[in-house]
Amino acid sequence: MAASLFQDVPLKAKVVGWGIIFIPLVVLLLLAAIFLRPEPINQRLVWGCYVAANAPPLDIREDAIYIIEPARRKFSYIAEPSKTSYQLNVRPALLLKRMPTGHYQFLSTRGIGFFWPLLPAPGKNRDRMRHPEEYAGRIQIAADGGGVVYSRKSDADACRQ
């Protein structure tokens, strides 16, 4: 029978030893949870008209995101921080699917919603924003066969219908 490494150590010494190890770790985790929270993002930052090649324009307003198409569908969203960046939490789940014509179309799919990453300017942290001020008016939407990047246009002609 093998002898335990701490067999002759009194219980009080074991408790003190484990306390010396775990109390600082718990304090570090609490401090990280308090001070490393991402800054909230103002929803106004994402408002505007967004376009992408071969995809229907999106008009992001205070109340909803409108797809500029004959059906004029809309869906809700929340601009929020994620674990590593910032994103739009959109509902219901609409999949951007490439049609045989080469154009994209939003189709209803199963699920409660999707997360669309907000992107910084090209060449800055690639696809990750560390602060809301880095937002460059670009949104990435997952699509079959890759992702489609929507860019905000200063003139909203594409969203007038």
Side-chain angles (χ1 to χ4, degrees):
M1 182 154 131
S4 172
L5 179 64
F6 298 108
Q7 179 178 356
D8 296 329
V9 177
L11 179 62
K12 184 177 178 181
K14 289 179 187 177
V15 169
V16 169
W18 287 115
I20 289 171
I21 293 171
F22 285 111
I23 290 175
L25 290 176
V26 169
V27 169
L28 283 174
L29 289 175
L30 287 173
L31 288 173
I34 292 170
F35 293 109
L36 294 180
R37 286 188 187 149
E39 183 175 325
I41 186 167
N42 187 341
Q43 198 144 312
R44 290 176 182 253
L45 192 62
V46 298
W47 294 353
C49 179
Y50 290 80
V51 295
N54 298 323
L58 299 175
D59 188 8
I60 301 179
R61 299 183 189 169
E62 179 179 7
D63 62 331
I65 297 176
Y66 295 85
I67 303 172
I68 307 303
E69 62 183 356
R72 193 84 175 144
R73 292 180 289 170
K74 70 177 185 175
F75 48 98
S76 64
Y77 75 99
I78 299 171
E80 63 185 10
S82 67
K83 289 182 180 178
T84 60
S85 188
Y86 289 84
Q87 65 192 8
L88 292 182
N89 179 349
V90 296
R91 293 201 164 121
L94 292 174
L95 177 66
L96 194 57
K97 184 168 179 67
R98 183 184 282 273
M99 307 310 287
T101 61
H103 290 13
Y104 287 95
Q105 184 177 0
F106 282 99
L107 300 176
S108 296
T109 184
R110 292 174 42 177
I112 58 169
F114 285 119
F115 300 103
W116 297 350
L118 301 176
L119 302 176
K124 285 191 140 202
N125 299 330
R126 227 175 87 201
D127 57 354
R128 187 172 168 212
M129 286 178 22
R130 291 192 172 98
H131 194 273
E133 292 174 357
E134 293 180 357
Y135 182 58
R138 298 171 57 233
I139 300 169
Q140 184 173 8
I141 299 177
D144 58 339
V148 175
V149 175
Y150 273 81
S151 298
R152 181 171 41 208
K153 293 296 177 191
S154 56
D155 58 344
D157 288 339
C159 290
R160 291 194 184 117
Q161 191 178 31

